[in-house]
Amino acid sequence: MPRLLEAMTGAPDFYYDSMSQVRMETWHAGPVALVGDAAYCASPASGQGTSLALVGAYVLAAGLKQAAGDHTVAFPAHEASMRPFVEANQALGTANIKRMVLSSRSQVRMSMLMLRLVNPLSGKDRIMAKVVEPIHRAATAIDLPTV
């Protein structure tokens, strides 16, 4: 770590930023609607940014088609449809960051030990299924409209 910190201070191309989430009360104003990270960034820790952007654009396009282009109908319907899906995926970021950023050497050691112990187990697929289940649930928390 000391070598990394020292190299970081002298690196001409080092970039650092915070990990954040966008949580807005509404994603539209007048004839303008936001989608993707501009409306509901779920943080890189969620792993769902691209999915949210694609699903949001699809749902908005379907809503605009169904409303014959009337944004005053389509935008509120889009938000009502997308909000639970977005909130479920944003929650992943909050939960995942706690598992990704370990705060002590003992947490790192325990994490590495658990990975070594689980890897050779014949039932590791069942164990991993439990780990990824919240991600799967969030990723499938919306019924896409047919266009």
Side-chain angles (χ1 to χ4, degrees):
M1 186 59 104
R3 277 190 341 195
L4 178 63
L5 291 172
E6 184 180 329
M8 179 178 73
T9 58
D13 57 353
F14 179 77
Y15 177 78
Y16 172 82
D17 200 356
S18 66
M19 292 183 64
S20 305
Q21 284 190 338
V22 174
R23 294 180 185 241
M24 300 175 72
E25 290 182 27
T26 185
W27 303 325
H28 70 278
V32 176
L34 301 175
V35 295
D37 284 353
Y40 32 75
C41 176
S43 132
S46 75
Q48 295 298 100
T50 301
S51 297
L52 283 169
L54 290 171
V55 169
Y58 179 87
V59 170
L60 180 57
L64 284 165
K65 180 180 179 188
Q66 185 176 13
D70 184 352
H71 71 276
T72 64
V73 173
F75 291 175
H78 171 254
E79 287 194 30
S81 172
M82 283 290 295
R83 181 89 40 196
F85 177 63
V86 168
E87 289 174 353
N89 283 277
Q90 284 181 328
L92 285 177
T94 305
N96 286 348
I97 199 70
K98 290 176 184 168
R99 288 187 289 268
M100 292 168 68
V101 180
L102 304 176
S103 60
S104 70
R105 287 179 188 244
S106 61
Q107 284 181 332
V108 172
R109 277 192 216 106
M110 184 60 75
S111 180
M112 295 298 108
L113 175 63
M114 293 306 292
L115 288 172
R116 280 195 302 270
L117 292 173
V118 168
N119 195 37
L121 294 177
S122 60
K124 71 179 171 190
D125 291 339
R126 281 188 319 220
I127 294 168
M128 291 310 295
K130 288 280 192 191
V131 171
V132 299
E133 197 277 326
I135 299 167
H136 181 264
R137 189 178 17 187
T140 58
I142 190 168
D143 292 322
L144 295 177
T146 54
V147 181

